[in-house]
């Protein structure tokens, strides 16, 4: 790990925290709609698997020790045991998967393929962990938890599209990122 890697990891952990300053919208399930999931998408798309995943691990470690970095000023180990805990645990895995898929290409993959990569990691993987966790914690059936989570998908698709637009421009400006 180089100094440059460490700086990028810290930068994207900070970016993810900064995205938490955008006001959240909390639905009936107790899981808030936030811009922070875009941070994990950007970390994976721009930093790759290892650095992107580590950036989000660093972000979550800071949350775990009590820093109020999650949307709404939440922080502390307790947030990992609430309704959104599974989604939070899916964040670094999602960033890693996005980065892994992007790392497979030299240069920039086409827009649609990039969007598919971001949706697989940033939505698919995160929901794969978050929905069962939500069902368990909120005492819901898996179907009820899944149905309740559908409300988040349109916003996640918008964040994924924005991520791809931003990532393509950043990669064009900084091809050695």
């Amino acid at each position: 790990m180089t100094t440059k890697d460490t700086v990028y990891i810290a930068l994207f952990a900070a970016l993810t925290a900064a995205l938490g300053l955008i006001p959240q919208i909390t639905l009936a399930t107790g899981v808030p709609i936030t811009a922070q999931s875009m941070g994990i998408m950007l970390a994976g798309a721009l930093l790759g698997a290892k650095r992107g995943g580590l950036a989000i691990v660093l972000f979550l470690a800071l949350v775990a020790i009590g820093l109020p970095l999650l949307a709404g000023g939440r922080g502390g180990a307790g947030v990992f045991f609430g309704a959104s805990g599974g989604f939070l645990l899916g964040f670094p895995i999602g960033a890693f998967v996005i980065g892994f898929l992007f790392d497979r290409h030299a240069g920039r993959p086409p827009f649609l393929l990039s969007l598919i990569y971001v949706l697989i990691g940033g939505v698919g993987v995160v929901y794969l962990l978050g929905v069962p966790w939500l069902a368990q914690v909120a005492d819901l059936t898996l179907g009820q938890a899944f149905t309740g989570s559908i409300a988040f998908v349109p916003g996640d698709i918008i964040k994924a599209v924005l991520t791809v637009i931003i990532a393509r421009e950043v990669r064009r400006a900084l091809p050695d990122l």
Side-chain angles (χ1 to χ4, degrees):
M1 177 109 44
T2 66
T3 302
K4 179 177 154 183
D5 292 333
T6 305
V7 168
Y8 282 136
I9 289 166
L11 177 66
F12 277 80
L15 172 66
T16 304
L19 286 168
L21 296 174
I22 297 171
Q24 70 182 20
I25 300 167
T26 303
L27 300 181
T29 60
V31 179
I33 297 174
T34 73
Q36 285 185 313
S37 55
M38 191 169 159
I40 73 150
M41 295 175 187
L42 285 166
L46 290 171
L47 298 183
K50 179 181 167 187
R51 295 184 305 176
L54 287 173
I56 305 308
V57 166
L58 173 59
F59 168 74
L60 292 178
L62 295 171
V63 168
I65 63 170
L67 295 178
L69 300 178
L70 292 175
R74 297 174 307 131
V79 298
F80 294 96
F81 299 102
S84 60
F87 295 97
L88 294 173
L89 296 175
F91 278 9
I93 299 167
F96 180 89
V97 168
I98 293 167
F100 175 79
L101 294 170
F102 271 90
D103 287 347
R104 295 180 52 205
H105 286 36
R108 295 179 308 153
F111 184 89
L112 185 58
L113 190 56
S114 297
L115 181 60
I116 290 168
Y117 289 169
V118 171
L119 289 172
I120 288 170
V123 179
V125 169
V126 172
Y127 280 54
L128 189 64
L129 292 167
V131 170
W133 184 285
L134 173 62
Q136 182 66 33
V137 170
D139 197 28
L140 301 169
T141 67
L142 200 52
Q144 290 170 320
F146 178 76
T147 301
S149 297
I150 299 256
F152 296 91
V153 173
D156 286 337
I157 291 171
I158 292 168
K159 289 181 267 188
V161 169
L162 290 172
T163 294
V164 172
I165 291 168
I166 292 166
R168 290 176 62 79
E169 292 303 316
V170 170
R171 283 182 176 263
R172 183 182 330 207
L174 302 169
D176 294 332
L177 182 65

